[in-house]
Amino acid sequence: MTVESDTHSGHPPDLMNKLVSFAKRRGFIFKSSEIYGGVGSVYDYGPLGIELKNRIQQLWWREMVYRHDNIVGIDAGILMNPEVWVASGHVGAFSDPLIECRSCHRRFRVEDVPVKTGGEAPRSGSAAPGGAAPDSAAPGGVAPDSAARGGAAPSDADGAGTLAKIPEEEEEESLSLARQCPVCGTRGQWTDPRNFNLMFKTFMGVVENEAATVYLRPETAQGIFVNFRNVQDSLRQKIPFGIAQVGKAFRNEITPGNFIFRTREFEQMELQFFVAPESADEWFERWKARRMRWVESLGIRPERLRFHEHGPNEVAHYCKCAYDIQYRFPFGWHEFEGIHNRTDYDLGRHQEHSGKKLEYFDQAANRRYVPYVIETSAGLSRTLLVALADAYDEEDLGGGKKRVVLRLSPALAPVQAAVFPLVKKDGMPEIAEKLASELRGSLNIVYDAAGSIGRRYRRQDEAGTPFCLTVDGQTLGDETVTVRDRDTLVQSRVPLRGAGAYLREAIAASAPGAD
Ligand code: GAP
């Protein structure tokens, strides 16, 4: 897989390709079912990857649920009554207009095919626009353009929907002539845009052709909306209040790519915050500011963060107003979290379709209304990519040597500390093993006695481990150990008995939260 890089982003050169191999080599992220050639844009999280994902998720939960007395969490099913997706509008509107190159039959989102005015050479076989690499044809044929690769034109039978009419037809025609296929280089040979629904379908029931079609949820939000009444009744929540959820979502993306940036299976961390309609704008601003503060508190460089307001053509069908938090990835500025004013759209639609009242009764004002919703919707896997891309660093040591360091905030580090004996004699391994086992339980600790101390430090630098504790000759006399800081390389001495408190304090100090 090759991924494009933006040379002005301040990241190390060719970072995305480096990250792909680094993440595999160090056990962060593997291609799903790799021994069978993988499956279209699905990834598995290895031992370090799941730790990093857990840290992000736990910090998010702490920030969104534990810090508020009016926000609670739920965990809804991935499979829901299919009527949910009709009511939410996803069956009708959750689709991407795609165009197909008549020459090589690859399909792209319209906005991903740049308009070319010059006579550039085609980038045959390279990444698709927006940096999305066309997946190699996976056994099982899960890649979205697999039908096109086989030469078949899009048809309703293979998942295509109805032709989408574009308003500015003339302008679109001339744009179409100027569009050049990023794969085969053919210019101006495009089909009209067609809509493809992005939801995965499956069957519920034993006999496939008699079973009901159900969908794998494309967002976690709907599980919250349909539980609005349950949560409100069971916990007697008063507006404003929120419901948070973290979980898997699935989208049959047409142009997945850029490693884990856009995948077909991913995780979201979503909050739906229910408010009175007249206070929605104020709450929107509050959540917008608060979410940016939280992202910064993870240690992400502020100069690589910005808001992007959705224009009228960008906002989703359920939204009145939307801002993205974007990160400057090596392949450009892109969203990894959205803050949306969903109005009373979702609760209103579910009320209409289910026939169940989803109103709120404000006793003090003796008033009944369908609440507005301010949503904060973050991609967990995409936030993980932000953390990795921002933390990966190569330090030039001179003489052609370099130190790879993952400068993750200690609060995010998969391994929080490593414990080494300086040498494997004089009782040092025994003291170090005992220290490691005492620290385990509250912290994720690695014990390593293999190889030179320099090599052991390098291994931990790559894993992003912020602290390395070394038992040395002095430990035998005064019961202190060295603590080496990954970023400053400064080594200080702490008492053996105080090492746990030292680490916990340093980690807590690196996760101040949003307040
Ligand atoms: N409930 C609102 C919602 O789902 P969205 O903008 O479609 O809004 C929210 O998605 C976040 O989910 C995005 O900012 C992104 O981080 C993540 N996300 C969406 N599609 C994704 C995909 N195919 N792969 C990885 N993350 C994705």
Side-chain angles (χ1 to χ4, degrees):
M1 172 178 23
T2 342
V3 195
E4 287 181 354
S5 278
D6 161 10
T7 46
H8 306 293
S9 63
H11 293 284
D14 198 25
L15 175 64
M16 288 311 291
N17 288 314
K18 282 178 183 159
L19 273 187
V20 174
S21 54
F22 168 82
K24 179 177 172 184
R25 183 165 53 81
R26 291 313 318 248
F28 279 89
I29 300 164
F30 311 121
K31 225 172 174 357
S32 165
S33 20
E34 194 181 6
I35 59 169
Y36 289 99
V39 65
S41 219
V42 181
Y43 289 88
D44 298 340
Y45 289 81
L48 293 190
I50 180 60
E51 293 293 335
L52 177 54
K53 191 141 67 89
N54 283 346
R55 299 280 177 279
I56 297 171
Q57 177 178 340
Q58 285 154 2
L59 287 171
W60 184 88
W61 196 264
R62 200 166 84 188
E63 158 68 7
M64 303 301 273
V65 180
Y66 296 162
R67 279 185 196 274
H68 305 266
D69 64 0
N70 60 349
I71 299 181
V72 292
I74 63 160
D75 183 25
I78 286 171
L79 301 175
M80 303 174 76
N81 187 310
E83 197 55 28
V84 168
W85 305 108
V86 177
S88 70
H90 286 83
V91 167
F94 194 60
S95 53
D96 262 3
L98 299 183
I99 52 176
E100 182 172 314
C101 171
R102 290 185 196 278
S103 174
C104 71
H105 298 286
R106 302 221 181 201
R107 294 173 190 161
F108 305 89
R109 292 163 189 252
V110 181
E111 66 270 23
D112 281 349
V113 183
V115 173
K116 293 272 165 74
T117 45
E120 279 179 34
R123 291 184 300 141
S124 168
S126 72
D135 292 335
S136 57
V142 182
D145 45 358
S146 54
R149 271 187 212 127
S155 70
D156 285 338
D158 68 24
T162 50
L163 280 177
K165 274 274 171 226
I166 354 172
E168 305 86 0
E169 269 189 23
E170 275 183 14
E171 191 191 343
E172 184 49 47
E173 250 169 49
S174 68
L175 281 178
S176 176
L177 286 174
R179 283 201 172 96
Q180 182 179 18
C181 176
V183 173
C184 73
T186 305
R187 199 185 292 242
Q189 293 294 312
W190 296 101
T191 62
D192 287 338
R194 281 167 173 260
N195 284 341
F196 290 79
N197 197 289
L198 297 183
M199 282 195 293
F200 280 102
K201 284 179 191 170
T202 187
F203 304 100
M204 189 172 273
V206 187
V207 185
E208 195 176 297
N209 53 8
E210 289 171 11
T213 298
V214 289
Y215 300 96
L216 301 189
R217 68 181 178 198
E219 61 168 5
T220 58
Q222 298 303 324
I224 295 180
F225 295 129
V226 298
N227 276 298
F228 167 76
R229 176 91 289 143
N230 286 337
V231 173
Q232 209 233 324
D233 287 352
S234 57
L235 295 183
R236 281 177 282 136
Q237 294 283 0
K238 285 200 169 62
I239 274 182
F241 78 91
I243 305 178
Q245 182 173 212
V246 179
K248 293 261 185 186
F250 304 83
R251 295 183 191 176
N252 197 3
E253 297 281 4
I254 306 304
T255 50
N258 276 322
F259 193 26
I260 56 165
F261 176 79
R262 185 178 288 122
T263 50
R264 296 203 173 94
E265 177 177 337
F266 56 98
E267 271 168 277
Q268 290 186 315
M269 307 183 289
E270 296 201 303
L271 167 75
Q272 310 300 324
F273 197 71
F274 302 95
V275 301
E278 62 278 8
S279 63
D281 292 345
E282 189 194 328
W283 278 110
F284 184 86
E285 291 306 322
R286 279 202 213 177
W287 278 113
K288 191 177 139 220
R290 190 163 180 129
R291 290 307 302 147
M292 183 61 104
R293 284 206 301 277
W294 182 78
V295 170
E296 287 174 353
S297 81
L298 298 181
I300 309 299
R301 278 166 244 220
E303 66 273 19
R304 292 194 187 140
L305 292 169
R306 74 177 187 191
F307 282 117
H308 165 76
E309 183 179 6
H310 281 210
N313 297 329
E314 281 175 282
V315 280
H317 62 275
Y318 49 75
C319 257
K320 177 186 161 206
C321 172
Y323 272 77
D324 291 339
I325 300 180
Q326 292 187 331
Y327 178 73
R328 187 164 192 176
F329 288 96
F331 47 92
W333 287 98
H334 291 281
E335 157 194 11
F336 64 103
E337 170 154 357
I339 298 100
H340 311 132
N341 179 347
R342 296 183 75 131
T343 68
D344 56 359
Y345 174 85
D346 301 273
L347 289 182
R349 295 274 295 191
H350 287 305
Q351 180 167 269
E352 196 182 308
H353 280 249
S354 67
K356 302 281 184 318
K357 285 270 175 246
L358 296 176
E359 290 172 335
Y360 175 76
F361 180 60
D362 179 345
Q363 273 181 329
N366 193 25
R367 170 189 167 211
R368 210 173 274 284
Y369 60 86
V370 176
Y372 268 39
V373 170
I374 305 304
E375 169 183 73
T376 74
S377 175
L380 173 52
S381 18
R382 210 176 273 182
T383 305
L384 189 149
L385 180 62
V386 168
L388 272 187
D390 211 59
Y392 184 95
D393 193 15
E394 290 174 347
E395 222 174 65
D396 191 357
L397 300 179
K401 289 189 179 158
K402 64 180 181 189
R403 178 172 87 114
V404 172
V405 195
L406 205 54
R407 299 191 190 280
L408 288 170
S409 155
L412 291 181
V415 174
Q416 286 141 330
V419 179
F420 311 146
L422 181 62
V423 286
K424 281 198 250 181
K425 58 181 188 183
D426 300 334
M428 290 182 210
E430 289 75 15
I431 299 174
E433 273 176 31
K434 185 163 176 275
L435 174 61
S437 80
E438 280 165 8
L439 295 174
R440 279 193 192 109
S442 62
L443 296 168
N444 191 23
I445 300 291
V446 156
Y447 172 82
D448 188 2
S452 74
I453 190 80
R455 264 175 183 272
R456 283 180 269 164
Y457 282 145
R458 296 283 173 277
R459 278 201 286 268
Q460 296 306 319
D461 289 343
E462 279 197 349
T465 308
F467 306 108
C468 292
L469 276 53
T470 304
V471 170
D472 57 11
Q474 195 176 324
T475 313
L476 309 176
D478 67 4
E479 299 202 336
T480 62
V481 285
T482 62
V483 182
R484 179 227 188 222
D485 183 291
R486 177 198 66 206
D487 297 330
T488 62
L489 302 182
V490 168
Q491 297 197 19
S492 40
R493 295 203 79 87
V494 297
L496 258 179
R497 287 219 186 100
Y502 175 92
L503 294 175
R504 280 189 290 274
E505 222 167 88
I507 292 163
S510 74
D515 288 327

